[in-house]
Amino acid sequence: MDVLRNCKNFIVEWIGAVSLAAGAAAVGYLAYKTLLSKDKSCKAMVNLHIQKDNPKVVHAFDMEDLGDKAVYCRCWRSKKFPLCDGAHTKHNEETGDNVGPLIIKRKEA
Ligand code: FES
């Protein structure tokens, strides 16, 4: 009878230990996926719709062509990208973000 009881206690303890180890492994895996994983599919994209068929969106301008002032979009929501059209205001209101344009202007002499 004692042998049977000891065997039963061993099985219950073993199941408890395995459950604890599995729970710890699950928590560790979730922490890894959340904090350390380099999986890019879980990260948000900045560029949602501009030239998505290109591997990299690049614009270049000659300084002489900028005029007295140029305002460039940094939120990637402008319909006139790479120029700012004010879409950053709506983006900031909807997301709590704080992005704004890059303004390049000629120094007043
Ligand atoms: S519209 Fe993007 S910074 Fe203004």
Side-chain angles (χ1 to χ4, degrees):
M1 206 58 167
D2 281 344
V3 172
L4 186 59
R5 186 178 306 143
N6 286 342
C7 186
K8 192 175 175 182
N9 286 342
F10 173 76
I11 290 173
V12 168
E13 288 174 5
W14 188 81
I15 289 173
V18 168
S19 298
L20 184 64
V27 169
Y29 175 75
L30 290 174
Y32 166 77
K33 287 290 285 178
T34 303
L35 301 174
L36 301 174
S37 176
K38 302 288 185 201
D39 184 4
K40 292 181 179 178
S41 65
C42 294
K43 298 191 177 188
M45 285 189 178
V46 172
N47 180 9
L48 301 178
H49 56 81
I50 298 167
Q51 297 181 21
K52 295 302 280 184
D53 52 331
N54 286 345
K56 184 189 298 183
V57 178
V58 176
H59 295 94
F61 299 93
D62 292 327
M63 296 296 286
E64 296 79 20
D65 297 337
L66 292 181
D68 291 334
K69 182 179 175 184
V71 183
Y72 294 100
C73 175
R74 295 193 299 176
C75 73
W76 291 80
R77 303 299 187 271
S78 174
K79 298 271 191 279
K80 297 180 349 185
F81 195 88
L83 301 175
C84 173
D85 69 354
H88 59 268
T89 303
K90 183 179 176 199
H91 166 76
N92 288 343
E93 288 171 359
E94 291 175 351
T95 64
D97 210 343
N98 64 347
V99 295
L102 167 67
I103 301 173
I104 300 174
K105 58 185 179 182
R106 194 169 305 280
K107 262 187 184 174
E108 294 179 23

